[in-house]
Amino acid sequence: MQTEMISDALGDAAQSVLETMFFVSPEGTAEPAYPQDVPLLGVGLRFSGEWSGTFELQTSITSARTLAEGFVGTLDPSEVEGDTTTEVICELANMVCGSTLTRLAGDKIFDLGSPHLVSLPPLPRVEAPPDSTATRALDLGFGVIAFTLTIGAPE
Amino acid sequence: MRSMIRRVISLSGLDVSECLEAGDGVEALEMVAREWVDVILADINMPRMNGEELVRRLSEMGITTSVPVIVVSTDGTSLRRARLMKLGAKGYLVKPFAPEMLRDEVERVLGVANAN
């Protein structure tokens, strides 16, 4: 698996999920970097099966809250509490990871683990060839969101 | 996801008297044992008991013959879809989906036409 292929699948999946379910149109790719004083939210999950590996998502807490508002469909930001934001971003991670793997895996069966908050820096890397990991960051217009997928050996 | 589905259902035009929520497959089984429901929407990824096991159990209990189950999953592979349908699911919705796709799938499995 080549880094470029993973990166393209990540970008396509993230774009589709954000537009369809979060009503956000990313304005293009971005550098996966944030100012040091911006509080960040990180979510990770593992997947197993014919393919195994890890998926990580990172964005600012402010951007996460804006995404949650779009997903829940409220115009009142006070309706979106911290727990709701976390749940929505975990759901976003689940959808982008699953959608990316579907694009890459063809008919390989895989199982996604439960997304959970990760301390930043995110999960330790799984054992994987150097070209089996990719990061794609998107400019949301109100912040940056970065996704990293690492594909290892079958479990 | 449950809050989003609840919102879509409420906006769908379907005549929904009550929308029950279960946190996982175990809760869902307990719920259908004591409540009558018209349709079950089940995610694949759930703690304790996942959607695939839930469909298997519902099928063994004979519930899928009278209550259609729609599986919601990020896994768009044909193998997974075929496996779930063989287990007894009546619908399969791949995330991400537009709200109207959820409404259409619910209407299809319930045999409701043009609810809006």
Side-chain angles (χ1 to χ4, degrees):
Chain A
M1 184 64 60
Q2 292 179 344
T3 297
E4 192 178 341
M5 200 184 293
I6 299 173
S7 179
D8 287 348
L10 267 177
D12 291 346
Q15 180 106 14
S16 171
V17 170
L18 288 166
E19 288 181 349
T20 308
M21 303 200 82
F22 290 79
F23 312 107
V24 169
S25 295
E27 296 177 359
T29 55
E31 287 296 315
Y34 308 87
Q36 279 195 335
D37 56 346
V38 172
L40 299 176
L41 182 68
V43 169
L45 66 88
R46 293 186 179 277
F47 53 92
S48 58
E50 290 182 61
W51 278 2
S52 69
T54 58
F55 177 86
E56 296 152 13
L57 175 162
Q58 183 174 307
T59 191
S60 72
I61 288 179
T62 312
S63 298
R65 198 168 292 135
T66 305
L67 287 168
E69 288 163 19
F71 186 76
V72 174
T74 178
L75 296 174
D76 180 3
S78 68
E79 286 181 21
V80 180
E81 296 169 351
D83 286 351
T84 305
T85 298
T86 303
E87 285 170 19
V88 169
I89 298 304
C90 284
E91 183 62 44
L92 171 61
N94 172 271
M95 284 192 278
V96 174
C97 181
S99 186
T100 303
L101 290 174
T102 296
R103 286 162 202 267
L104 290 170
D107 267 344
K108 289 185 171 63
I109 291 280
F110 52 85
D111 290 303
L112 301 186
S114 295
H116 55 274
L117 287 176
V118 292
S119 307
L120 299 171
L123 298 173
R125 296 273 179 253
V126 295
E127 194 90 12
D131 62 349
S132 290
T133 186
T135 294
R136 175 64 74 96
L138 298 175
D139 178 0
L140 299 170
F142 48 84
V144 171
I145 189 165
F147 307 95
T148 300
L149 182 73
T150 301
I151 298 172
E155 280 183 358
Chain B
M1 179 52 72
R2 295 206 302 273
S3 58
M4 183 269 184
I5 285 178
R6 178 183 281 273
R7 176 169 55 92
V8 170
I9 294 287
S10 69
L11 295 173
S12 66
L14 290 166
D15 184 14
V16 179
S17 58
E18 197 173 6
C19 191
L20 305 172
E21 288 184 29
D24 55 47
V26 175
E27 274 184 36
L29 277 182
E30 291 168 357
M31 197 172 277
V32 295
R34 64 173 188 267
E35 306 271 359
W36 172 259
V37 296
D38 295 298
V39 63
I40 297 170
L41 288 160
D43 207 320
I44 286 279
N45 291 104
M46 294 189 288
R48 295 206 289 173
M49 182 191 294
N50 68 22
E52 195 162 319
E53 183 60 22
L54 174 62
V55 174
R56 190 192 316 277
R57 298 278 189 94
L58 290 169
S59 193
E60 286 169 0
M61 293 158 69
I63 291 175
T64 52
T65 55
S66 54
V67 181
V69 180
I70 299 173
V71 174
V72 179
S73 173
T74 57
D75 187 345
T77 61
S78 54
L79 277 178
R80 175 81 78 176
R81 182 190 296 263
R83 205 156 81 181
L84 265 299
M85 300 303 269
K86 195 175 174 186
L87 281 174
K90 293 291 188 294
Y92 192 91
L93 203 53
V94 179
K95 293 186 279 186
F97 53 79
E100 55 271 25
M101 291 170 68
L102 173 61
R103 182 202 59 206
D104 292 349
E105 191 68 348
V106 171
E107 288 178 358
R108 185 184 69 77
V109 300
L110 288 175
V112 180
N114 300 318
N116 290 326

